[in-house]
């Protein structure tokens, strides 16, 4: 039996924001500012830009609380989506101001988007999976040593690593279709 009802905190927060409760914005900021800033920084690679996007995102949430629909998913996911869109928009604008080629801009946007999704996935995954990935990929322990450090069986350590990697693999958009150069008669990719 599935529960499609949004979490109670998300519904309450949306209602408080919609009623103009300033304390709700402060609580929301305390809870999600590091997520917003981290995602924005990952996309932009710039501290000042991430600060600006963080202010813009919370300004948007304050001015448009009804844009969030609790039935569509968690508030955290919606805020991450708003952040991603704002940061990508700012990245595109800054790159076009520098007169970068459109292909270069889109490649930077794709790379930044995948990195931001990966960050979000890692921070959102259950702690046991995150701990297993940390031991294996940050500390470079094999699954046997990771199992010992986690206090679980080797099979459980492998299961956690496999599931963590499966979740993380969803951050990558997958292969892109090759397109011939503009105006050329180039061959399509393999």
């Amino acid at each position: 039996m599935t529960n499609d009802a949004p979490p109670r905190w998300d519904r309450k927060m949306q209602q408080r924001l919609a009623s103009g409760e300033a304390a709700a914005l402060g609580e929301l900021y305390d809870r999600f500012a590091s997520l917003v800033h981290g995602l924005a920084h990952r996309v932009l690679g710039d501290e000042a830009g991430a600060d600006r996007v963080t202010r813009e995102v919370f300004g948007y949430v304050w001015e448009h609380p009804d844009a969030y629909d609790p039935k569509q998913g968690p508030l955290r996911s919606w805020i991450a989506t708003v952040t991603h869109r704002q940061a990508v928009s700012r990245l595109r604008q800054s790159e076009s101001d520098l007169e970068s080629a459109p292909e270069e801009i889109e490649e930077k946007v794709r790379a930044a988007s995948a990195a931001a999704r990966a960050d979000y996935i890692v921070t959102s995954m259950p702690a046991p999976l995150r701990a297993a990935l940390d031991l294996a990929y940050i500390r470079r322990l094999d699954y046997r040593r990771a199992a010992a450090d986690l206090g679980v069986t080797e099979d459980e350590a492998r299961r956690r690593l496999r599931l963590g990697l499966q979740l993380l693999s969803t951050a990558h958009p997958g292969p892109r279709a090759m397109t011939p150069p503009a105006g050329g008669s180039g061959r399509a990719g393999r």
Side-chain angles (χ1 to χ4, degrees):
M1 183 164 149
T2 62
N3 182 4
D4 294 334
R8 185 178 188 166
W9 188 89
D10 291 358
R11 283 194 318 269
K12 264 315 234 185
M13 181 55 69
Q14 194 272 337
Q15 292 166 353
R16 291 172 61 200
L17 289 167
S19 70
E21 186 181 327
L25 183 62
E27 188 178 326
L28 191 73
Y29 183 88
D30 289 345
R31 189 170 193 162
F32 295 121
S34 63
L35 168 71
V36 170
H37 189 272
L39 287 173
H41 192 276
R42 187 72 149 152
V43 170
L44 298 170
D46 170 35
E47 190 69 29
D51 289 344
R52 195 167 28 260
V53 167
T54 301
R55 287 190 302 272
E56 291 168 355
V57 166
F58 285 100
Y60 177 82
V61 169
W62 178 248
E63 292 172 7
H64 305 283
D66 292 330
Y68 168 63
D69 181 1
K71 294 176 185 164
Q72 297 298 313
L75 184 58
R76 176 185 176 92
S77 295
W78 179 71
I79 288 174
T81 300
V82 171
T83 301
H84 182 258
R85 285 184 187 144
Q86 185 61 30
V88 166
S89 174
R90 185 160 295 281
L91 178 65
R92 282 191 173 119
Q93 181 61 45
S94 68
E95 292 295 325
S96 65
D97 288 348
L98 297 173
E99 298 182 17
S100 296
E103 300 83 29
E104 290 176 44
I105 295 171
E106 288 309 309
E107 187 56 39
K108 286 183 180 181
V109 167
R110 274 191 294 278
S113 295
R117 280 191 305 274
D119 277 353
Y120 178 73
I121 289 167
V122 169
T123 59
S124 300
M125 71 176 47
L129 300 182
R130 194 170 49 249
L133 288 175
D134 176 61
L135 290 172
Y137 293 97
I138 306 299
R139 297 185 194 176
R140 303 273 192 225
L141 300 181
D142 65 23
Y143 75 93
R144 289 179 180 97
R145 297 244 351 254
D149 282 14
L150 293 169
V152 298
T153 66
E154 291 177 3
D155 285 342
E156 178 62 15
R158 282 195 303 262
R159 188 191 69 75
R160 288 179 186 184
L161 287 169
R162 188 173 32 256
L163 184 54
L165 289 173
Q166 286 172 342
L167 288 171
L168 201 50
S169 72
T170 64
H172 192 277
R176 294 184 295 130
M178 297 291 291
T179 56
S185 58
R187 296 184 322 188
R190 297 176 197 174

